[in-house]
Amino acid sequence: MNRMRALMLLVAVLTGLALAGLWWQADRARTLLQQQAFDEAEQRSLQLADAMAGQIDGLLSSLDTALLRLRRDWLQVTDVSDFALLAQETLRTLPEGFVDYVSVVDASGHVVYNSLGAESGVFVGDRPHFRAQRAAPQQMLVGTPVQSRLSGRWVFIVSRAVLREGVFDGTVHLLVSTEHVARRLAALSLRPTDIVSLVHPNGDLLAHSANNTGAMSRKVPADRPFLLDGRAEAGTFRFESPLDARWRTAGWRRLPDSGLVTVVGLSDEGVLAPLQALMQRDWVFKLLLSGLFVAGGGLIMLLLGRVGRSQALLETLTGELEQRVQARTRDLAMLNAELESFAYSVAHDLRTPLRSIHGFASLLEEDQAERLDDTGRSHLRRIQAGAKRMGQLITDLLSMTQLGRATLKVSPVDLSAMATDIASELDRNDPRRRVEWQIEEGLRAEADPVLVRAVLQNLLGNAWKYTGQNPQARISLRRESTASGLHTFVVQDNGAGFDMAFVQQLFQPFRRLHAHDEFEGSGVGLATVKRIVERHGGSVGAEGVPGQGAKFRFSLPQSDV
């Protein structure tokens, strides 16, 4: 009895280890998928930052054109009222709401013109932007954001120096609306949780696609790569936003002339959103496989418990009847020996719960056949068949899951040679059958060799199986057509065929059109074929007539070789 308990404990431990391995592998695959999604997000954010940098550069170019025109008009007119008309005409060439107003400052730092008719005579000569413009009279400069006293809106100054005969004579300012720039950033059509920012070289936020007003007067953290290395042109990084505490993957691009930086941040929830459906399917597969493992382990433990109870009962009966019935005692002793041998086999041959079920059933059928009636032998065969089908189902499920997530390693594949090899293997496995193989030469495709071999093994194996009752069996593989960079191949046989009314069920897992006693199978093979072909960008289809055979089409990318 203690030995049976030890065996039951061993079964429980092995089942637990199998479940732990399954979940560990699934978690590892999920982590790899998430890392791949973040890597792709880095590339996408960098591409979006490049695109937005081009748009901002275009806006700055239009502002520079307006500044040059305003500077020319200021130098040419003698009456401020004439310049006011020219300034309004220049503002109309810019997008509505882009510029709040225009101002001109003389060489001494006093405002001498403002398009809103205010602040004339105000001294701004001590402000950093004016001093910077005086020091770099040949450049267009972009200032940091400030809240305008006149309009109440957040703006930043874009200016050029006024040079009269090569001598600094003041500056022309355009006060640009940060809200307008923020709307241009938001037009990138990202997810609601993604952000786009325009950053000044000193780290001030000039515009922010989300909650622009709340972002004004804030600096980005000093550890951002574009602030640490002022010569770097572009890059990516991950960060937790101080505005909404969301983690994002960001790409950035520095504008070469102004030094402004466009930053595009893609939120983690947005990056991982496309994986949710896949992760949910993985959860279903894990739960299904876990249930199968637990059910298998439970069946083994139940069987061991019954064996243990039978052994104890036999030992008790042997002790009571030993004096009276020697023949009966010998029979019981022999049965005890057989039960011990059976338990020994379980202890040493148990590799998976399902193989153990099949092993016990086989031992009972071989050793106790004479003691069992027809009903008992029928039960044994049903146990064996059920264990075998469950084992094949688990194998096929694992195979379908692994093939569906395997990384594609595409290379030129000789389908003709591969199909010939599979056909030879089928012939060797059943030399009594005579099948006419018609495999077209020179069939090639650009695909993963391992996965495509699985496709051919399933399709040719099915053709072999369903022509088993036809003494003049024919199986062929040929190319049917080529279109849009895809070759369409056809596997055809003259076997059992199928009713086209059920064609939609063929490529669904566990859907079978024939009974198990007619043709063996788990109903997973064609679902595996469909998944592999679709991962290569192709499609599958089928035609059939009951009793006349079937055609299975699949398309793969054509090979350049």
Side-chain angles (χ1 to χ4, degrees), residues 311-372:
Q311 184 177 1
L313 178 59
L314 288 173
E315 290 175 351
T316 301
L317 291 175
T318 300
E320 293 176 353
L321 300 176
E322 186 176 1
Q323 298 297 325
R324 294 177 294 169
V325 187
Q326 293 296 326
R328 187 87 175 263
T329 302
R330 287 194 298 270
D331 292 339
L332 290 174
M334 184 180 297
L335 180 58
N336 272 330
E338 291 170 352
L339 288 174
E340 289 180 1
S341 176
F342 179 57
Y344 180 87
S345 298
V346 172
H348 290 80
D349 296 337
L350 180 64
R351 297 187 183 279
T352 64
L354 295 177
R355 285 184 60 188
S356 297
I357 294 175
H358 191 276
F360 278 121
S362 297
L363 284 174
L364 287 174
E365 182 180 28
E366 293 173 4
D367 297 341
Q368 300 296 322
E370 296 179 356
R371 294 184 176 277
L372 297 173

Side-chain angles (χ1 to χ4, degrees), residues 498-508 511 513 530 542:
F498 61 88
D499 190 339
M500 286 295 290
F502 304 103
V503 68
Q504 297 299 326
Q505 300 181 18
L506 278 176
F507 297 99
Q508 298 179 15
R511 295 295 184 91
L513 305 187
K530 182 174 185 292

Side-chain angles (χ1 to χ4, degrees), residues 14 18 108 136 154 184 206 253 308 353 406 470 545:
L14 291 176
S108 65
W154 283 92
R184 293 295 293 269
L206 293 178
R253 168 67 65 179
N470 189 339
V545 177

Side-chain angles (χ1 to χ4, degrees), residues 466-484:
Y466 290 110
T467 57
Q469 299 176 5
N470 189 339
Q472 297 178 340
R474 291 191 310 276
I475 302 173
S476 65
L477 171 64
R478 69 180 189 277
R479 179 169 54 212
E480 186 176 66
S481 62
T482 300
S484 302

Side-chain angles (χ1 to χ4, degrees), residues 480-494:
E480 186 176 66
S481 62
T482 300
S484 302
L486 294 173
H487 289 314
T488 298
F489 304 97
V490 178
V491 173
Q492 184 174 357
D493 64 70
N494 61 346

